[in-house]
């Protein structure tokens, strides 16, 4: 058996070069004479990795100096709750723009900690578009505006950064961080679970504008406070050292691939090829997302008859094309084509889809 092309939504495919390096270094890492998993997070080797990984991420994003980078745990879901705990007041308000299932979850988890306002939602389209900007009902007193630039389940992506004036913009970029160049200065806070474009699950990368950290309340547990994590270089307690190490390798890989401009161009081509194949299938395959909001990362699509689903999944798996089953909330198929998916993987999927449609159309 060989490795297939893995279209999993997350945990998702990692660059093969990164996995090979991790494999080669598993027993003895750098000069440590031990695995990276076996050394102190406060030792000089790990501290050097922490610093270099932050430097690489800053380089990749051309990050302004008034932003802090945090390497945290808890998954994005924990931060749905922790963000309002840190940046909103219980009696204040925070605005949420919801364009899919993850935005809904952010609302649900955030609600115990502040008055969550639904400023806009595209639920009435079954999340096949993003709420049109003219209809956003933003409160200028809101602590922040939260949105999900890429909805992993519904395959809906913002291709521009919304303007929220003086109200800080908070973005759950779990499924599209580092997929193209980004103007960090437009955001108050960016956070992402690592298991799609950064590395392995169990790590969350957060980029936060320094002035926001002054809002963190002092009467919460230190471990919940982003200001405390920032003050301690994300080493307040034992971090996910192996996850951090993998992220560091992925940042190096991205730089070697030419940075975010190059990876963004590759992602655009991958997405265009896959949507073009869907749209050229004479209705055999259908993607219901409004063209201007189609995700470059997650491509849901449907077959003409649900009874074909099981056959499509079995045959694609046999062909080495893995994890194409759609999320149960949407059904059908979903191809996730994050940074680590090579163009050859998308081409193999497109060839398979054409052949399958010819045989069953
Ligand atoms: N937000 C988005 C956009 C996601 O795709 C996911 C996971 N698929 C989450 C949040 C939740 O992440 P976690 O399971 O790491 O809490």
């Amino acid at each position: 058996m060989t490795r297939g092309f893995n279209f999993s939504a997350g945990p998702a495919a990692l660059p093969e070069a990164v996995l090979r390096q991790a494999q080669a270094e598993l027993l003895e890492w750098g000069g440590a004479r031990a695995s990276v998993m076996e050394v102190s997070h406060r030792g000089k080797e790990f501290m050097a990795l922490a610093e270099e990984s932050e430097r690489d991420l800053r380089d990749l994003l051309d990050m302004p100096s008034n932003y802090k980078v945090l390497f945290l745990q808890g998954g994005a879901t924990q931060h749905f709750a922790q963000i309002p705990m840190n940046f909103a007041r219980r009696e204040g308000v925070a605005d949420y723009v919801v364009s899919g299932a993850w935005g809904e979850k952010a609302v649900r988890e955030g609600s115990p900690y502040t008055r969550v306002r639904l400023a806009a939602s595209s639920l009435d389209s079954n999340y096949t578009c993003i709420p049109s900007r003219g209809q956003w009902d933003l409160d200028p007193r809101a602590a922040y505006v939260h949105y999900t630039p890429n909805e992993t389940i519904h395959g809906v992506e913002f291709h521009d950064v919304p303007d929220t004036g003086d109200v800080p913009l908070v973005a759950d970029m779990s499924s599209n961080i580092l997929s193209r160049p980004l103007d960090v200065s437009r955001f108050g806070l960016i956070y992402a679970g690592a298991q799609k474009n950064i590395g392995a699950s169990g790590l969350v990368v957060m980029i936060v504008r320094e002035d926001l950290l002054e809002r963190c309340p002092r009467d919460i547990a230190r471990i919940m406070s982003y200001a405390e994590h920032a003050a301690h270089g994300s080493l307040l307690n034992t971090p996910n050292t192996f996850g951090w190490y993998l992220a560091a390798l992925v940042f190096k890989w991205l730089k070697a691939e030419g940075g975010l401009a190059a990876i963004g161009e590759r992602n655009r081509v991958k997405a265009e090829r896959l949507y073009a194949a869907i749209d050229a299938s004479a209705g055999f395959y259908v993607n219901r997302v409004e063209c201007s909001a189609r995700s470059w990362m997650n491509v849901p699509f449907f077959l003409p008859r649900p009874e074909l689903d099981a056959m499509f999944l079995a045959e694609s798996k046999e062909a080495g094309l893995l994890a194409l089953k759609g999320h149960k909330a949407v059904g059908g198929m979903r191809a996730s084509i994050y940074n680590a998916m090579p163009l050859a993987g998308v081409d193999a999927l497109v060839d398979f889809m054409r052949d399958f449609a010819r045989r069953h159309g």
Side-chain angles (χ1 to χ4, degrees):
M1 298 284 265
T2 53
R3 281 171 61 77
F5 288 120
N6 180 4
F7 294 91
S8 168
L14 283 164
E16 197 166 311
V18 165
L19 291 175
R20 287 195 189 285
Q21 186 172 346
Q23 181 183 44
E25 299 178 338
L26 193 66
L27 296 183
E28 288 189 52
W29 169 63
R33 303 187 66 192
S35 171
V36 66
M37 282 182 275
E38 301 171 310
V39 300
S40 167
H41 54 295
R42 302 192 195 282
K44 75 173 182 345
E45 289 94 352
F46 194 84
M47 296 283 275
L49 176 145
E51 278 166 29
E52 196 166 334
S53 63
E54 176 172 339
R55 229 173 14 249
D56 286 338
L57 182 64
R58 285 183 176 280
D59 279 358
L60 281 165
L61 286 165
D62 199 12
M63 200 185 300
S65 58
N66 62 325
Y67 285 77
K68 292 270 190 219
V69 177
L70 306 181
F71 291 83
L72 304 169
Q73 303 180 57
T77 305
Q78 180 179 309
H79 298 276
F80 290 164
Q82 215 173 323
I83 286 167
M85 201 188 287
N86 276 267
F87 300 123
R89 284 176 298 115
R90 231 167 230 286
E91 62 289 0
V93 296
D95 278 344
Y96 281 68
V97 174
V98 175
S99 51
W102 291 107
E104 282 182 1
K105 289 206 166 81
V107 164
R108 191 180 320 136
E109 297 301 308
S111 294
Y113 300 100
T114 190
R115 286 196 355 249
V116 164
R117 280 180 79 248
L118 194 60
S121 164
S122 51
L123 174 61
D124 58 2
S125 76
N126 283 325
Y127 298 128
T128 54
C129 65
I130 55 179
S132 63
R133 185 63 184 82
Q135 284 163 5
W136 294 20
D137 171 28
L138 295 179
D139 185 337
R141 295 162 311 165
Y144 56 80
V145 178
H146 181 284
Y147 82 123
T148 316
N150 185 67
E151 281 285 354
T152 321
I153 293 175
H154 289 88
V156 175
E157 184 168 13
F158 283 73
H159 293 284
D160 295 304
V161 179
D163 183 1
T164 52
D166 291 336
V167 180
L169 187 58
V170 172
D172 169 10
M173 282 197 197
S174 293
S175 53
N176 68 346
I177 194 165
L178 300 175
S179 62
R180 62 174 97 177
L182 184 72
D183 180 359
V184 172
S185 73
R186 302 282 306 277
F187 297 86
L189 181 138
I190 293 166
Y191 66 111
Q195 64 268 27
K196 294 121 172 27
N197 266 343
I198 296 176
S201 61
L203 178 79
V204 166
V205 172
M206 182 171 283
I207 297 165
V208 54
R209 214 175 62 208
E210 266 168 1
D211 60 286
L212 288 176
L213 293 171
E214 287 159 24
R215 290 192 196 174
C216 300
R218 291 177 200 282
D219 61 352
I220 57 175
R222 288 174 76 212
I223 197 68
M224 291 296 153
S225 163
Y226 295 133
E228 291 286 346
H229 282 284
H232 292 85
S234 306
L235 298 173
L236 189 57
N237 70 328
T238 317
N240 172 357
T241 52
F242 191 68
W244 196 334
Y245 157 80
L246 285 176
L249 294 187
V250 169
F251 299 157
K252 289 267 182 249
W253 174 79
L254 280 169
K255 287 178 97 173
E257 293 291 300
L260 299 191
I263 209 83
E265 181 53 19
R266 192 194 297 170
N267 285 332
R268 187 185 63 74
V269 171
K270 280 154 49 185
E272 272 177 16
R273 274 197 204 172
L274 185 47
Y275 287 114
I278 291 169
D279 293 341
S281 69
F284 188 88
Y285 300 109
V286 175
N287 168 278
R288 298 185 182 143
V289 178
E290 195 176 273
C291 290
S292 63
R294 283 174 160 183
S295 169
W296 287 8
M297 297 283 105
N298 309 98
V299 182
F301 60 92
F302 298 88
L303 306 185
R305 300 182 296 282
E307 62 272 22
L308 290 175
D309 286 5
M311 205 184 299
F312 184 94
L313 288 170
E315 288 185 18
S316 55
K317 187 172 176 198
E318 187 63 31
L321 307 168
L322 314 180
L324 285 162
K325 191 172 168 37
H327 190 279
K328 61 182 184 308
V330 172
M333 306 294 139
R334 172 176 50 170
S336 295
I337 49 175
Y338 301 115
N339 288 347
M341 174 60 63
L343 190 55
V346 172
D347 285 341
L349 174 61
V350 164
D351 286 347
F352 171 83
M353 287 169 68
R354 286 206 185 104
D355 182 56
F356 188 88
R358 197 179 38 73
R359 288 185 285 114
H360 298 283

